[in-house]
Amino acid sequence: MSDSKGPLANARLALKKDGDASFLNFALSDSTGTYQFRVPPGKYKLAAIDDYTNNFSGVNFDDYQSETIELSAGDKIVKDLVKQKP
């Protein structure tokens, strides 16, 4: 995770599985901007979300620039999200 200045620590990320509204995971990036999710194979939406997002029952991914990721068994995907200015 980064922004225009470089790696972004403590950025909040959300990951939801397509077709399963109950599957929603969150992560924070570390001091190097690295984050990690461990999830089963499937198709997901990934987004950097605002720190003030407190609705843990759901995140409206339409409010954020999101990426679609499709994982197969054994996949390890590296995705550098760049947080845009509001």
Side-chain angles (χ1 to χ4, degrees), residues 65-84:
Q65 182 177 348
S66 63
E67 302 263 343
T68 300
I69 297 169
E70 192 154 356
L71 299 170
S72 298
D75 280 353
K76 291 182 181 181
I77 295 177
V78 175
K79 191 62 137 171
D80 183 20
L81 292 181
V82 178
K83 190 162 188 172
Q84 305 297 319

Side-chain angles (χ1 to χ4, degrees), residues 3-59:
D3 64 9
S4 61
K5 298 175 188 173
L8 191 57
N10 297 316
R12 186 175 292 171
L13 297 109
L15 183 77
K16 76 171 183 174
K17 190 170 186 178
D18 276 2
D20 185 353
S22 67
F23 189 100
L24 182 61
N25 282 282
F26 295 92
L28 287 176
S29 62
D30 66 16
S31 62
T32 66
T34 301
Y35 60 93
Q36 180 175 313
F37 291 98
R38 291 184 183 265
V39 293
K43 190 172 182 181
Y44 297 89
K45 289 256 188 207
L46 171 66
I49 61 175
D50 296 323
D51 291 336
Y52 60 81
T53 302
N54 292 318
N55 183 2
F56 291 106
S57 63
V59 171

